[in-house]
Structure formats: C-alpha cells, structure tokens
Amino acid sequence: MVEVALAQSHMFRAYPALWERIVPHCRKKPYEKGTMVVHHGEEAGALWLVIGGWVKIFRQTPDGKEAILGLATDGDLFGEAAFFAHGSYPYHAEALTDAELIMIPAAVARDTIQGNSEFSRHVMSMLNERIAETQLKLDQMTTLSAVQRLGCFLLRLCRDDGAGRKTLRLPVEKHVLATYLGMKPETLSRSLQQLQQIQIEVKGQEMIIANVAALRDFVCNSCSESGMCQTEGEID
Amino acid sequence: MVEVALAQSHMFRAYPALWERIVPHCRKKPYEKGTMVVHHGEEAGALWLVIGGWVKIFRQTPDGKEAILGLATDGDLFGEAAFFAHGSYPYHAEALTDAELIMIPAAVARDTIQGNSEFSRHVMSMLNERIAETQLKLDQMTTLSAVQRLGCFLLRLCRDDGAGRKTLRLPVEKHVLATYLGMKPETLSRSLQQLQQIQIEVKGQEMIIANVAALRDFVCNSCSESGMCQTEGEID
C-alpha cells in the first residue's frame, strides 16, 4: 500500500529506482478526525503524502484568527521544509476527516536529492509549481469575486471527479471552506445561493452542476491564469 | 558593477567560485520607466536580478483586471522559471521607474545547478522562502485589515531604511501600491488617513513614523507569522 501510493505520487512517479530505495524507510500512519499531524514552528522531521481523507494546512494569529493555506487530499504532499537541514514546518496540519498519511523521514527525503541532480530539478520544479499555485490564489483574492472563488473551487473538484459527472459533494464543512476561500461564512452562504444564476443547484452538501462550460466562463474570464490553467482544459 | 551586484546577491553571496564563472555571461541592462522586461507566457530566457529602481511583477485577467504579485527592487530576483527546461514566465514584469537589471541567461542558470547539489539545495531553499512569502501575503488578505496590510508594507520599508530613521517615502505611486496590497485606491487613501491613530503622519508621498514599536504592535498581533518574522526583530 505504501509502495503503490509512493510509486503513483507526483513526486516519485518518474523515479522508480528512487522510491524502491526509500519505501523501506516510510511508514503509513492513520490520523483520527481532529488530530494534529504537525505543528507550526516545530522541526520538520518528515515529508508527508496524503493517501486518504482531508488534511487542513493552516496558521493562526496571536489575536485568534485562522488562515487556511491548503486542503490536502489523496496524492497531495506537504512538509517540503523537510528537504532542508534545520527546516521547520511553516504551518500546522490537522486531520479534517479520518485520514491516512505516508511519513517520509526528513533524513531520507534529503538523501534523495543529495547527489541526484535530475531528481533535485524535479523537486525544484514542484516547488515552483507550489509558488505558482499560491500566487494564483493570491491574485484571485483581488480579481475574483467571492462567488467566482467558490466557482473555481468547484471546477477543480469537477476535474477530480472525472469528465462526465457533474454532481459533487462539498468535501469539507462549510465554515472550513469559507476560511479556505478567504471569506466569512455568511458570504459563502450567499455565494452558494448565487450559483443558481449559472445553473448550479445546491441541496445541503450536494451540488448539481447542469453546465460546466457556463461555470468555467463565469470563473475563468476573471482569472489571471486564464488560458494556461489545467482546470480549464480537462473538463467537459 | 555586474560583478559586485552578483557577488552580493542573496543567490550567489556564499558561492564565489560560481559567480566568477557566470559573470562573463551576464549582462547589465537599463530599462526606461514604463517599458516591459518580460511577458507572461513567453519562454523564460533569463533569470533577472534588479540592481536599481523598481519593477512591477504582475498578471492580467481577460476582463481587464490586474494583480500585482510583487514589487522588485535592489537585490531582488525574478524569473526563476529560467532554471527549468522549457519554463515560461508566469507573469509580466515592467519597469515602474527607470531601472537597471542584470540578465543571467537561462542556459547559464541551469548550468549552475547541474551537478552542484549544494547550490541546488540553496536554490531550493530560496524557492521555499518564496513560497513562504507568498503564503504569508495570502494569509494577510484575510487576517489583516487594509490599514494593517499597509502598516506591514511600511514596516518592511523601515527595515531597509536602517535602524534609526523613521521618515519614509512611498517608493511607488499610490494606485500601484493599492493594487499590490489588494485594495481599491479609495481604501488606500482611507488607510493612509487612519495611520494617524498610531502616530504616523502622512504628507504627500512622505510619512513620518513617530513610534515604530506602536506600528509593529498594531500590525504583527494579527499576523500568522508573528514571532517568526524578520521584520519584527530587526527594527527599533
């Protein structure tokens, strides 16, 4: 199970010799809903691959606010600080649902890039993708309206859900989604109602998208990644 | 001049043998205010180091909005996509003022990481810092108010300005600063007025900060990087 998940991951897919070498050092760990995986500021002892459930990546302010940097699920990686000597986690991670993770010890992660310049370049290009993703989210805070940001989130779920199906369930609770999208819970509620304009029916946690192309037009025309985003091309 | 700027840059400071090797391949280029340096989507032919003036790093949406990802100045680097084969620039860059840049050709940049695992790790850790910066800006869009985001920008300028002086000039025009901080121009105007509460006097482009500690308290208590940010510690 650890073998298969690592072999299929974006990080190791193209490097079978490498994952074979690291598999014996990795461990699968279950986390119950609500338990912490890592803490902000602690030494980055491992790199983490999510293989089941959802993990909230977040930070807190002294005056009690929370910012959600990411919602990680199947195939997502976090804890890249483990690649760097004396790196510390720049965020908390908490299991939002029961979750399963693979732990790749930091020493093992660092060993994979040591003296392997092809794999180093691969890791660098993954870090570069992470920069691009984060910058896009930052752009979207000013270029997209609240309902468009919600629409972009749904478009990404459509992609994961295969090409044909247009019925989705929200994978996380609404207050978590609101924080992740950088809006107040009441703004999310209003945005969910406004989706009707573009033929999306919301029934509790379930949403029926009648016309993905209409959703895409509604969102992507206001996005700085328009024309270069995978989400635009892959669904129909 | 190229030699000195490269030798002092964050990227090459610790690698004198490396910069000596690349200096002959680099070129200093002047840009007039308002001219484009690179275009979003074009092949990343070079890595760029700013050695004078200000450069706006930005993207545009099909419906005509602009998002500013960064304001680069002395010592700042952009165009990291040049490290990757077939990389393309994920943004436009435009000289906001007359500016001077050093151009490091992509082939030269890629050559520096090829077979040099120590320097590769250094570049990786710089990419990781870039992720952290961008994530922090994203956090701040929800955890800081408009006037606090402006305050954080001023704190960073204080740092560059040395320890004792508390008189600053806004380095860029107000409409640019507003877009960079993710707010409307009228919100920036209101925020500039509100700085009076924390003993900051604004006279046109000039601002007199009577008490940097008060500014810091006002901003950093609402920030998810509180306690781990360089800007907090370096000024007094």
Side-chain angles (χ1 to χ4, degrees):
Chain A
M1 179 58 179
V2 173
E3 284 84 344
V4 174
L6 275 180
Q8 291 173 347
S9 69
H10 182 29
M11 179 159 284
F12 293 106
R13 207 179 300 152
Y15 302 89
L18 212 53
W19 74 256
E20 270 181 28
R21 215 173 74 207
I22 73 161
V23 156
H25 305 286
C26 299
R27 267 200 301 153
K28 192 171 76 171
K29 296 186 76 172
Y31 284 86
E32 274 180 33
K33 176 176 173 168
T35 51
M36 296 296 289
V37 183
V38 307
H39 288 88
H40 186 178
E42 79 186 2
E43 196 188 329
L47 185 67
W48 300 87
L49 176 68
V50 184
I51 58 172
W54 286 82
V55 174
K56 177 174 77 165
I57 312 289
F58 68 109
R59 311 210 298 181
Q60 285 167 320
T61 68
D63 61 4
K65 288 179 221 119
E66 181 176 297
I68 300 184
L69 305 174
L71 295 171
T73 187
D74 270 25
D76 289 335
L77 205 73
F78 64 91
E80 288 92 342
F83 278 116
F84 312 107
H86 317 297
S88 58
Y89 294 118
Y91 40 64
H92 301 288
E94 178 192 331
L96 268 184
T97 60
D98 288 350
E100 276 202 322
L101 284 83
I102 292 175
M103 191 190 83
I104 305 165
V108 175
R110 287 204 285 274
D111 187 53
T112 57
I113 54 175
Q114 180 67 33
N116 185 336
S117 67
E118 194 193 329
F119 187 68
S120 290
R121 273 202 305 279
H122 175 59
V123 172
M124 268 186 228
S125 94
M126 286 181 66
L127 294 174
N128 210 42
E129 280 168 31
R130 181 64 53 102
I131 296 172
E133 268 168 36
T134 313
Q135 283 183 329
L136 180 60
K137 279 197 68 183
L138 183 57
D139 280 14
Q140 291 184 339
M141 289 298 288
T142 50
T143 66
L144 301 195
S145 66
V147 55
Q148 285 174 320
R149 295 208 295 282
L150 170 62
C152 180
F153 180 78
L154 297 181
L155 271 180
R156 289 171 194 274
L157 288 182
C158 284
R159 185 190 52 179
D160 294 340
D161 202 37
R165 287 185 55 205
K166 310 287 187 288
T167 301
L168 301 174
R169 279 187 73 79
L170 286 185
V172 296
E173 291 174 64
K174 285 181 186 167
H175 71 276
V176 174
L177 183 58
T179 307
Y180 175 62
L181 296 174
M183 58 183 77
K184 298 203 170 75
E186 56 270 29
T187 310
L188 177 63
S189 298
R190 210 167 37 241
S191 298
L192 283 165
Q193 285 163 13
Q194 288 171 352
L195 289 174
Q196 276 193 332
Q197 303 163 17
I198 45 165
Q199 306 166 55
I200 297 178
E201 203 182 333
V202 182
K203 291 181 177 171
Q205 294 279 110
E206 201 175 86
M207 15 223 352
I208 299 135
I209 302 174
N211 186 349
V212 175
L215 172 59
R216 194 161 49 210
D217 286 349
F218 175 71
V219 172
C220 304
N221 201 33
S222 296
C223 178
S224 63
E225 192 68 8
S226 181
M228 298 182 215
C229 174
Q230 290 192 328
T231 306
E232 284 175 297
E234 283 183 12
I235 36 178
D236 249 321
Chain B
M1 180 58 177
V2 174
E3 283 84 345
V4 175
L6 274 181
Q8 291 173 347
S9 69
H10 182 30
M11 180 160 282
F12 293 106
R13 208 178 298 153
Y15 302 89
L18 212 53
W19 74 255
E20 270 181 27
R21 214 173 74 207
I22 73 161
V23 155
H25 304 285
C26 298
R27 266 199 304 152
K28 192 170 74 170
K29 296 185 77 172
Y31 284 85
E32 275 181 33
K33 177 177 173 168
T35 52
M36 296 296 290
V37 182
V38 307
H39 289 87
H40 186 179
E42 79 185 2
E43 195 187 330
L47 185 66
W48 300 86
L49 176 69
V50 183
I51 57 172
W54 287 81
V55 175
K56 177 174 76 165
I57 312 288
F58 69 109
R59 311 210 297 180
Q60 286 167 319
T61 67
D63 60 5
K65 288 178 221 120
E66 181 176 296
I68 300 184
L69 304 174
L71 294 171
T73 187
D74 271 26
D76 290 334
L77 203 74
F78 65 90
E80 288 91 342
F83 278 116
F84 311 108
H86 317 298
S88 58
Y89 295 118
Y91 39 65
H92 302 288
E94 178 191 331
L96 268 184
T97 62
D98 288 351
E100 276 201 323
L101 283 85
I102 292 175
M103 190 190 85
I104 305 165
V108 175
R110 286 204 285 273
D111 188 52
T112 59
I113 52 174
Q114 180 67 33
N116 186 336
S117 67
E118 195 193 329
F119 187 68
S120 290
R121 273 202 304 280
H122 175 59
V123 172
M124 267 185 227
S125 95
M126 288 182 64
L127 294 175
N128 210 42
E129 280 168 31
R130 181 65 53 101
I131 295 173
E133 269 169 34
T134 312
Q135 283 183 329
L136 180 60
K137 280 197 68 184
L138 183 57
D139 279 13
Q140 291 184 338
M141 290 298 288
T142 50
T143 67
L144 301 195
S145 66
V147 55
Q148 285 173 320
R149 295 208 296 281
L150 170 62
C152 180
F153 181 78
L154 297 180
L155 271 179
R156 288 170 194 274
L157 288 181
C158 284
R159 185 190 52 178
D160 295 341
D161 202 35
R165 287 185 55 206
K166 311 286 186 290
T167 301
L168 302 173
R169 279 187 71 81
L170 285 186
V172 296
E173 290 174 64
K174 286 182 187 167
H175 72 275
V176 174
L177 182 58
T179 307
Y180 175 62
L181 295 174
M183 57 183 78
K184 297 202 171 75
E186 55 271 29
T187 310
L188 178 63
S189 298
R190 211 167 38 239
S191 299
L192 283 165
Q193 286 164 13
Q194 289 171 351
L195 289 174
Q196 276 193 332
Q197 305 163 16
I198 45 165
Q199 306 165 58
I200 298 177
E201 202 182 334
V202 182
K203 290 180 175 170
Q205 294 279 110
E206 201 174 85
M207 14 220 356
I208 299 136
I209 303 174
N211 185 349
V212 174
L215 172 59
R216 196 163 45 211
D217 287 347
F218 175 70
V219 171
C220 304
N221 202 32
S222 297
C223 178
S224 64
E225 192 68 6
S226 181
M228 299 181 215
C229 173
Q230 290 192 330
T231 306
E232 283 175 297
E234 284 182 11
I235 39 179
D236 248 319

